[in-house]
Amino acid sequence: MDFTVIIPARYAATRLPGKPLADLGGRPLLQWVHERALASGAARVAVATDDARIEAAARAFGAEVVMTSPEHRSGTDRIADAARQLGLPDDALVVNVQGDEPLMPPPLIRQVAGNLAAHPAADMATLSQRILTLSDLASPHVVKVVCDREGYALYFSRALIPQPRDGMPEAEHLADAVPGWQRHIGIYAYRVGFLRAFVHWPPAAIESTEMLEQLRALWNGASIHVAEACAPAPVGVDTPDDLARLRERVAQGG
């Protein structure tokens, strides 16, 4: 199975400007992401950016870089642009690994590509894992996903779905709860032909409400297959506090 990893990286993050170049254990955060993508067995790994500072840093650690338009509204738009510039055919598999996921396990990157390859009826593939705490279940920052019996996504939401009619289970029994709530892991695999179509669709109303881009695919009748992750997925870096915690973890050898 051949697949390409494209890492979208922008400098002007609202909560943490310059995030891809932030120092983590003596290396740019983006370099950590790149190393994990290489370790996944991808046939090709490229960084997609519109910023000369990120381009220079990425080339310095040996990454292939694709310069994309500064007008792109999302990482998915940037990936579609990069796939076009790389000359990838419509049936090629592309994995979107976010540039703020420095501890993303390489097996998960390979798993999401394999999930799409194994489901020819799917337009996209992604991963999930069990939610084990009540705080995660209640948090709007933890995106939940509900699937059908074949593993295809029915809906993604920041709200609690499905909502228990008769009240929540006790915290110590959450791991055994039915239906077994699932947290969405924000890693995606696409076929390039679908990716080209996706970025020409206007944002859907439900997408704008939840601020979840994958809902645009469901709104337009596309299918997303969801597999349970084969390894725990770490939380990405969104804020200075996230970065501080990660630096402490790396310093301790975690």
Side-chain angles (χ1 to χ4, degrees):
M1 174 190 63
D2 283 345
F3 63 96
T4 297
V5 172
I6 300 179
I7 305 168
R10 66 189 187 99
Y11 193 89
T14 303
R15 289 181 286 182
L16 187 56
K19 177 167 56 175
L21 304 185
D23 180 81
L24 181 62
R27 307 198 302 278
L29 189 148
L30 181 62
Q31 185 173 352
W32 288 70
V33 181
H34 184 261
E35 289 170 355
R36 277 151 180 73
L38 289 175
S40 72
R44 193 172 188 179
V45 177
V47 173
T49 188
D50 63 356
D51 190 276
R53 291 162 291 189
I54 292 177
E55 178 192 19
R59 293 196 189 282
F61 61 72
E64 179 177 9
V65 180
V66 181
M67 294 301 290
T68 58
S69 169
E71 302 302 317
H72 291 318
R73 295 176 300 177
S74 72
T76 310
D77 293 311
R78 203 171 303 286
I79 288 171
D81 186 351
R84 176 186 59 79
Q85 293 191 53
L86 293 171
L88 299 179
D90 281 354
D91 61 351
L93 304 183
V94 169
V95 177
N96 173 355
V97 178
Q98 298 293 328
D100 58 4
E101 297 277 3
L103 299 185
M104 178 62 71
L108 293 192
I109 300 173
R110 186 166 187 84
Q111 182 188 11
V112 75
N115 185 23
L116 185 59
H119 294 88
D123 298 297
M124 297 170 55
T126 190
L127 303 175
S128 69
Q129 64 184 23
R130 275 279 183 120
I131 295 174
L132 299 178
T133 67
L134 289 173
S135 60
D136 280 351
L137 201 57
S139 173
H141 303 297
V142 175
V143 177
K144 295 83 180 175
V145 59
V146 172
C147 300
D148 69 13
R149 65 182 181 182
E150 301 297 331
Y152 287 91
L154 295 171
Y155 195 67
F156 298 84
S157 183
R158 298 182 182 280
L160 173 54
I161 55 170
Q163 172 70 51
R165 186 195 67 174
D166 298 326
M168 294 299 299
E170 296 294 330
E172 62 267 26
H173 301 303
L174 196 57
D176 301 319
V178 177
W181 288 275
Q182 293 283 323
R183 165 198 166 207
H184 176 229
I185 299 170
I187 184 171
Y188 299 97
Y190 318 86
R191 291 184 178 83
V192 170
F194 170 75
L195 187 58
R196 296 190 212 283
F198 178 88
V199 296
H200 286 99
W201 294 336
I206 54 173
E207 171 190 354
S208 299
T209 299
E210 296 257 20
M211 296 301 293
L212 297 174
E213 194 180 40
Q214 63 269 37
L215 292 177
R216 188 188 316 177
L218 296 184
W219 177 264
N220 284 280
S223 57
I224 304 175
H225 195 272
V226 185
E228 190 155 356
C230 64
V235 176
V237 177
D238 289 324
T239 67
D241 286 345
D242 293 339
L243 182 59
R245 284 191 292 268
L246 186 59
R247 282 172 171 163
E248 183 178 353
R249 176 176 172 181
V250 168
Q252 294 173 351

